[in-house]
Amino acid sequence: MMILDGKNVASKILTMVKNKVDSLDIKPHLVVILVGNNSASKIYVNNKKLAAEKIGIRSSIIEFPDTISEETLLDKIIELNNNPEVTGILVQLPLPKHIDKNKVVMTISPKKDVDGFTPENVGKLVIGLKPYFYPATPQGILMLLDEYCIPIKGADVVVIGRSNIVGKPMAQMFLNRDATVTLCHSYTKNLDEKIKTADIIVSAVGKKIVRCKMVNKNSVIIDVGIYKDVNGKLTGDVDFNIVEPTVKYISPVPGGVGPMTIASLMYNASIIYS
Ligand code: NAP
């Protein structure tokens, strides 16, 4: 068994991105929009700002109260789209119920959409064209697998969870790398059997899903899930202590996909389109 050390790989990527940013004449400027008082969102936004500043990417947070109108928010995004000094825009989700998340995402310029969530970027991914940006978490997972030289071409991959931010783009990105992909969700039958025969398993669910009897000695397990257990300890979708000795590679929580997501986002934030 080998641990896929996301913390270490992320640190290497961040150094590489910092070197690239240092060499740029025009520095990237990431603007993060935060709406409302969600404490988890505040932490995520501040972490992104800190990560950006550490590698020389200018970053600004624009905060709005949760009473902001959809129109005002969309107007602000349009203003940022038109501002040549802003190279990346990220709207922290979730948004208050009266704001249509899809409208917000569709308003962001695809060339500044560092999350890779706009229809143009998602559509390009699906038809096999290069999007301006790939979504951070799946891109970070592929960077992690590549760092450990884990073969993707021809691999049987099971992705569990079909969110727009992780599961769906992850499945598509594996498909684009010539893997055979099974995308699973809460209605999937015989999940155990699908996991058992897969070469690579990516679990993005948010509860304990992957247990020892489902895996084999050649399994590569990527645990995206992150939540607090009943004791308040951060945990993932995989029964780590029991599964770890029985598989070939496994990513821990914390220290696996989490740092890779941040590094991948910073990689995106360092890209400037004119
Ligand atoms: P999500 O929107 O929370 O959706 C969960 C997915 O899991 C859904 O597609 C759901 O299926 C599926 N699911 C639920 N129960 C299932 C079951 N018993 N068997 C199979 N599939 C099941 O997904 P998300 O936003 O991608 O988040 C998933 C987890 O990843 C969360 O813990 C989140 O915190 C974590 N996450 C971590 C990072 C990171 O950087 N480490 C980044 C993003 C997310 P249905 O579609 O049928 O409901």
Side-chain angles (χ1 to χ4, degrees):
M1 170 282 315
M2 192 172 206
I3 303 281
L4 297 170
D5 186 346
K7 214 173 155 190
N8 182 37
V9 178
S11 152
K12 281 196 211 169
I13 291 167
L14 287 170
T15 303
M16 188 192 80
V17 177
K18 184 177 185 312
N19 290 340
K20 175 191 157 186
V21 172
D22 286 347
S23 73
L24 294 173
D25 293 331
I26 300 169
K27 303 291 178 207
H29 180 193
L30 173 67
V31 174
V32 184
I33 298 181
L34 174 65
V35 181
N37 266 320
N38 183 316
S39 52
S41 291
K42 281 193 171 179
I43 294 170
Y44 294 145
V45 163
N46 281 323
N47 285 346
K48 288 169 191 172
K49 184 173 165 58
L50 282 176
E53 281 167 359
K54 265 193 196 161
I55 56 168
I57 293 177
R58 185 177 156 207
S59 82
S60 315
I61 300 176
I62 300 180
E63 286 193 57
F64 288 114
D66 55 12
T67 51
I68 187 184
S69 70
E70 186 180 276
E71 195 189 357
T72 309
L73 181 59
L74 298 181
D75 283 348
K76 176 49 87 176
I77 294 170
I78 293 166
E79 184 194 312
L80 296 170
N81 285 343
N82 293 328
N83 182 346
E85 285 184 8
V86 174
T87 56
I89 304 168
L90 192 158
V91 179
Q92 185 65 43
L93 302 176
L95 291 167
K97 285 202 176 63
H98 66 279
I99 295 176
D100 182 343
K101 180 186 79 179
N102 291 328
K103 261 194 201 168
V104 169
V105 170
M106 284 194 280
T107 303
I108 299 171
S109 161
K111 290 185 175 179
K112 298 189 181 186
D113 167 32
V114 289
D115 268 333
F117 292 167
T118 59
E120 181 170 338
N121 284 323
V122 176
K124 282 183 164 167
L125 184 65
V126 172
I127 61 172
L129 293 177
K130 192 176 178 304
Y132 293 110
F133 300 96
Y134 292 94
T137 301
Q139 175 172 255
I141 289 170
L142 291 183
M143 287 169 165
L144 186 62
L145 293 170
D146 288 341
E147 178 71 21
Y148 284 87
C149 302
I150 293 168
I152 292 173
K153 198 176 194 143
D156 286 331
V157 177
V158 163
V159 177
I160 317 167
R162 54 175 164 176
S163 70
N164 288 335
I165 63 168
V166 185
K168 279 188 212 157
M170 184 79 264
Q172 189 62 54
M173 286 165 80
F174 274 124
L175 189 59
N176 294 358
R177 295 272 302 263
D178 299 321
T180 302
V181 185
T182 307
L183 180 54
C184 303
H185 46 77
S186 61
Y187 294 95
T188 298
K189 288 184 293 180
N190 306 325
L191 184 64
D192 300 23
E193 286 166 30
K194 291 179 171 64
I195 293 176
K196 186 104 201 165
T197 55
D199 300 306
I200 301 172
I201 299 108
V202 176
S203 186
V205 174
K207 57 187 175 194
K208 283 283 169 280
I209 286 284
V210 181
R211 305 203 181 266
C212 187
K213 62 179 170 48
M214 303 178 185
V215 296
N216 68 65
K217 65 177 175 23
N218 291 316
S219 306
V220 177
I221 312 279
I222 304 291
D223 193 347
V224 184
I226 187 153
Y227 56 96
K228 285 187 179 158
D229 68 13
V230 285
N231 303 312
K233 193 177 161 230
L234 276 185
T235 188
D237 293 356
V238 181
D239 203 348
F240 186 84
N241 291 335
I242 300 169
V243 169
E244 184 233 81
T246 68
V247 294
K248 193 164 183 184
Y249 291 99
I250 186 164
S251 72
V253 176
V257 174
M260 289 305 300
T261 296
I262 291 277
S264 163
L265 181 66
M266 291 306 120
Y267 172 85
N268 283 352
S270 73
I271 299 171
I272 301 176
Y273 291 104
S274 52

